[in-house]
Amino acid sequence: MENKYLLHGKLTAKPGQQKELADILIQASQLVSTAKGCTLYAVSHDQEDENAVYVTEIWDSKDDHDNSLKVEGVRELIMKAMPILDGAPTKGQELEILGGVGI
């Protein structure tokens, strides 16, 4: 299987702002879904943690992921999200895909 790039990260919103953060990330998913190499950009949450939002991304390569940050409108959404984050975002987990269906 060709090596793809998987990034899984948790962002924590300030209390009461999880939905707003999730909405921003869903907007980002719509922008990057057309970027070269985007296989998956999923936004999710854990019902046990009312402030956390998770993003799971699969790209053909790390370069494709890095280039997605240059898609028009993405930087603006990042700037919109920063003030509602509870602290700086932590680096996401870079995981190696071993196999599965649909990837």
Side-chain angles (χ1 to χ4, degrees):
M1 175 175 155
E2 178 185 335
N3 284 340
K4 293 192 179 257
Y5 179 72
L6 188 152
L7 186 63
H8 178 73
K10 174 183 176 183
L11 294 99
T12 304
K14 291 178 180 171
Q17 296 189 291
Q18 180 213 45
K19 182 179 180 334
E20 184 180 351
L21 178 59
D23 288 346
I24 291 168
L25 293 167
I26 290 168
Q27 289 175 48
S29 76
Q30 294 165 348
L31 291 176
V32 300
S33 68
T34 60
K36 177 184 175 291
C38 181
T39 302
L40 173 80
Y41 189 108
V43 179
S44 57
H45 74 99
D46 176 353
Q47 293 181 4
E48 302 295 318
D49 186 345
E50 63 186 30
N51 298 317
V53 180
Y54 294 83
V55 176
T56 305
E57 304 174 59
I58 298 177
W59 295 86
D60 287 343
S61 69
K62 184 174 185 327
D63 284 343
D64 287 340
H65 167 266
D66 293 347
N67 288 332
S68 75
L69 299 174
K70 299 173 188 165
V71 169
E72 187 175 336
V74 169
R75 288 279 178 207
E76 289 80 2
L77 289 174
I78 291 170
M79 297 309 295
K80 188 175 176 182
M82 294 304 285
I84 63 173
L85 291 176
D86 189 11
T90 56
K91 183 177 181 337
Q93 295 174 298
E94 294 178 295
L95 303 172
E96 180 180 354
I97 298 173
L98 303 176
V101 176
I103 47 176

